[in-house]
Amino acid sequence: MNTTSQAPRRLIKTADEIAKMRVAGRLAAEVLDMIKPHIKAGVTTLELDSICHDYIVNKQDAIPACLGYGAAPGRPAFQHVICTSVNHVVCHGIPTDTKKLKNGDILNIDVTVIKDGYHGDTNMMYVVGGETSILANRLCNVAQEAMYRGMATVKDGSYLGDIGHAIQQYVESERFSVVREYCGHGIGNVFHDEPQVLHYGQKGTGMRLEAGMTFTIEPMVNAGVWQTKLLGDKWTVVTKDHKLSAQYEHTLLVTNTGIEVLTARPEEDLSRFM
């Protein structure tokens, strides 16, 4: 049985909104490139956060979306501009000055920039010192390829379930697991909007995608079990078995023939989406 739904019309962006999304996406991607040379052994994640804050506010004249975001009953607002998730941290890692990065660590930096009211959201993995274990390196590569395989399914007329199916099938064929509790999301003048973009599922199910929609694909891939644990700070998510985790994320625009990657980085080969 095909279980599909139509996208609410407000999720289809106008040409003006798409133009603003392109700018926000480019700025977010620039932050990830800017911070690369600063990621080295001995640096704290709080130092990286400070560098990104200065760059976004003073160089880009933009707003860091995560700063002050997400207050809820029993959970404080996030007090930093980037999420820094090291090794077994799955997502939402809080920058700190208490622990320095070490050679071989794998680090995810997640950044969202607001420009003219619109959001660009992206993240990527970094290897501290340039070399890590065979397992960690393979995990990072699989997480990135999983994102690309999900992106490759997207076009006008495809389905949300196609994305999750492609990601899950690939990740599990590599003997890793896909986190279930956290997912991609619609984005625009709202940070986290409809639809929820699951990274597992079945083809031909979920919302039917339409040209003009913008959302993120951001699979979290674990070396062990897919289950996670939320720490007492109510933000940091770690793998339940303390094995490594990796994640990549892009914000994309659905087009008639495929996608436009709004947070594309210069070093990426995105020719398969052209």
Side-chain angles (χ1 to χ4, degrees), residues 236-254:
T236 307
V237 179
V238 300
T239 56
K240 188 174 181 180
D241 55 12
H242 274 233
K243 292 186 178 180
L244 296 174
S245 185
Q247 180 188 18
Y248 278 83
E249 174 186 20
H250 271 312
T251 297
L252 55 89
L253 165 71
V254 182

Side-chain angles (χ1 to χ4, degrees), residues 5 14 21 27 39 48 76 91 94 110 119-120 123 143 152 164-165 178 188 190-191 200 207 215 239 252 259 273:
S5 58
T14 66
M21 292 286 292
L27 294 178
I39 299 171
L48 299 178
C91 61
I94 298 175
D110 194 339
H119 296 71
N123 73 53
H165 179 79
V178 180
V190 175
F191 190 171
Y200 62 97
M207 184 180 291
F215 52 81
T239 56
L252 55 89
I259 59 172
F273 305 116

